[in-house]
Amino acid sequence: MTAPDEPLRSVHTTSLPVVLDQLRLSLLVSTYQAGKLILVRSEGGVANTHFRNFQVPMGLALDRGRLAVGTRSAVWEYRDQPAAAARLEPTGRHDACFLPREAHFTGHIAIHEVAFGSGGELWAVNTRFSCLCTFDREHSFVPRWRPPFVSALTPEDRCHLNGLALVDGKPRFVTALGVTDTPGGWRADKARGGVLMEVLSGRVVASGLSMPHSPRWYDGRLWFLESGAGTLSTCDPATGWTEVVAHVPGFTRGLDFAGPLAFIGLSQVRETAVFSGIPITERLPVEERVCGMWVVDTRTGQTVAFLRFESGVQEVFAVLALPGMRFPELLNEEQDETVSNSFVLPDEALADVPR
């Protein structure tokens, strides 16, 4: 974790705020290592980075103003409240404000990605129990699917299931770091044991991958990050053929899209047991590996903008585009005056509230 007094510094290309302005969006980045959510917003020709504290923030999901944040032992849900945004100082600056609405306590399931499916149902990658799950009011989690090679529901991280792609509101593809059925078994072949799988059939679509993450179905194609190689790639689910679209200078993890652009999270991997022997450590010396958020044109594979963390942040997990929200706020501290004095009531109750 980041030391309390370590400064959080970043630099960015002049093109980044231009991209955000042109697409009329902002970005939300999670870093479990630093315990932060980072709002990346355009302001006066520069990229404004705004930090909020969370305990091990991981997966992020957005559905029409409803935001889910997976953390160490809970999933937090926020709602955009435009009326609260209008009250923030300075007046007229913010166009969205996420306020906390509820939390579901999961226990330590090593939650990774989360995604809203059909009917607003929230799906999560439960890495510790090697399954996909949903949530209800009675249980820590409800197991819904696990890889066919995982023989038991146990908190042993048998294959390091980590990524989830929905198609038409239903889980369709996942990534895992190994086809293994023993506690932490994926670690033995992390450099080339990763797989991309189809959920419905349990079929391995592509194998021999280096620590794959962040599968996404976008614009009629299946995309994923081969994190250990530092790449953005596509895959043909019918044949398993994969093609590298772009190389970037970091461990790729966290992916979203807007128009032809991909927003990719990068982590600055070090020579540790988890990351040793993977292709990116051989391709780039440690001083050339960076942490940040890269913007890649998917048509050319070229980098068009980036945000690089200079200190305080070494690992990124999720990147989420917030379309139509150019300068949002997220308030998660109970003592915050806006949180404690903002009330959302049913429409019928508003008739009794004086103007």
Side-chain angles (χ1 to χ4, degrees):
M1 300 295 287
T2 300
D5 58 348
E6 187 175 358
L8 299 165
R9 294 199 310 265
S10 63
V11 296
H12 63 82
T13 57
T14 56
S15 55
L16 179 58
V18 175
V19 167
L20 298 179
D21 286 336
Q22 288 177 342
L23 294 174
R24 302 183 64 82
L25 56 74
S26 55
L27 300 166
L28 192 58
V29 177
S30 70
T31 165
Y32 60 91
Q33 163 262 327
K36 309 285 184 185
L37 284 190
I38 307 166
L39 282 159
V40 183
R41 313 172 294 195
S42 175
E43 182 182 31
V46 299
N48 171 291
T49 51
H50 186 53
F51 297 82
R52 290 297 184 192
N53 295 324
F54 281 83
Q55 188 177 41
V56 194
M58 296 285 283
L60 305 170
L62 181 69
D63 180 26
R64 294 169 293 181
R66 181 182 171 205
L67 174 69
V69 182
T71 65
R72 186 184 188 279
S73 299
V75 178
W76 293 85
E77 186 170 312
Y78 291 76
R79 296 276 182 157
D80 174 29
Q81 304 295 346
R87 294 170 52 201
L88 297 173
E89 296 292 340
T91 304
R93 184 188 194 193
H94 298 83
D95 57 3
C97 181
F98 289 100
L99 296 181
R101 276 291 160 262
E102 60 184 78
H104 181 91
F105 291 90
T106 61
H108 179 35
I109 62 174
I111 196 168
H112 275 54
E113 291 199 322
V114 294
F116 286 111
S118 300
E121 185 175 39
L122 184 67
W123 288 82
V125 180
N126 183 333
T127 301
R128 195 173 180 203
F129 283 83
S130 308
C131 71
L132 299 182
C133 68
T134 53
F135 306 101
D136 64 21
R137 294 185 180 276
E138 301 298 323
H139 308 97
S140 298
F141 61 90
V142 180
R144 299 282 293 272
W145 178 89
R146 69 176 187 262
F149 52 80
V150 176
S151 61
L153 186 71
T154 57
E156 297 176 336
D157 185 13
R158 294 190 173 191
C159 64
H160 206 74
L161 193 69
N162 60 55
L164 171 62
L166 272 59
V167 179
D168 298 328
K170 299 182 184 302
R172 181 70 180 274
F173 299 102
V174 295
T175 46
L177 300 195
V179 183
T180 49
D181 192 30
T182 56
W186 56 274
R187 294 176 182 271
D189 190 23
K190 60 184 179 297
R192 284 296 172 195
V195 292
L196 180 60
M197 298 181 62
E198 186 178 58
V199 171
L200 187 62
S201 65
R203 176 176 63 95
V204 172
V205 173
S207 59
L209 304 175
S210 181
M211 305 186 80
H213 284 79
S214 312
R216 302 288 185 266
W217 185 262
Y218 180 74
D219 196 27
R221 289 195 286 175
L222 177 59
W223 305 76
F224 71 99
L225 300 176
E226 190 169 4
S227 309
T231 59
L232 167 69
S233 298
T234 60
C235 176
D236 181 344
T239 65
W241 175 260
T242 63
E243 182 176 1
V244 173
V245 175
H247 288 85
V248 291
F251 183 89
T252 46
R253 185 172 49 193
L255 175 64
D256 207 352
F257 295 89
L261 301 182
F263 298 87
I264 306 169
L266 272 66
S267 294
Q268 188 180 24
V269 295
R270 300 291 182 177
E271 303 301 331
T272 64
V274 174
F275 296 117
S276 63
I278 60 177
I280 194 170
T281 62
E282 299 169 359
R283 176 167 67 89
L284 291 175
V286 64
E287 63 272 12
E288 294 182 20
R289 301 176 216 150
V290 302
C291 176
M293 190 281 306
W294 251 239
V295 186
V296 169
D297 189 325
T298 60
R299 298 165 298 188
T300 64
Q302 297 300 307
T303 297
V304 298
F306 66 75
L307 170 75
R308 185 176 71 240
F309 294 109
E310 298 283 89
S311 68
V313 181
Q314 286 83 44
E315 295 191 31
V316 164
F317 182 76
V319 176
L320 179 68
L322 304 176
M325 302 178 187
R326 303 184 69 175
F327 205 88
E329 175 63 283
L330 185 146
L331 301 175
N332 64 327
E333 301 293 341
E334 187 178 352
Q335 63 269 28
D336 188 284
E337 185 176 349
T338 303
V339 173
S340 59
N341 289 300
S342 293
F343 308 97
V344 181
L345 302 178
D347 290 344
E348 56 270 21
L350 295 178
D352 297 328
V353 178
R355 290 186 180 276

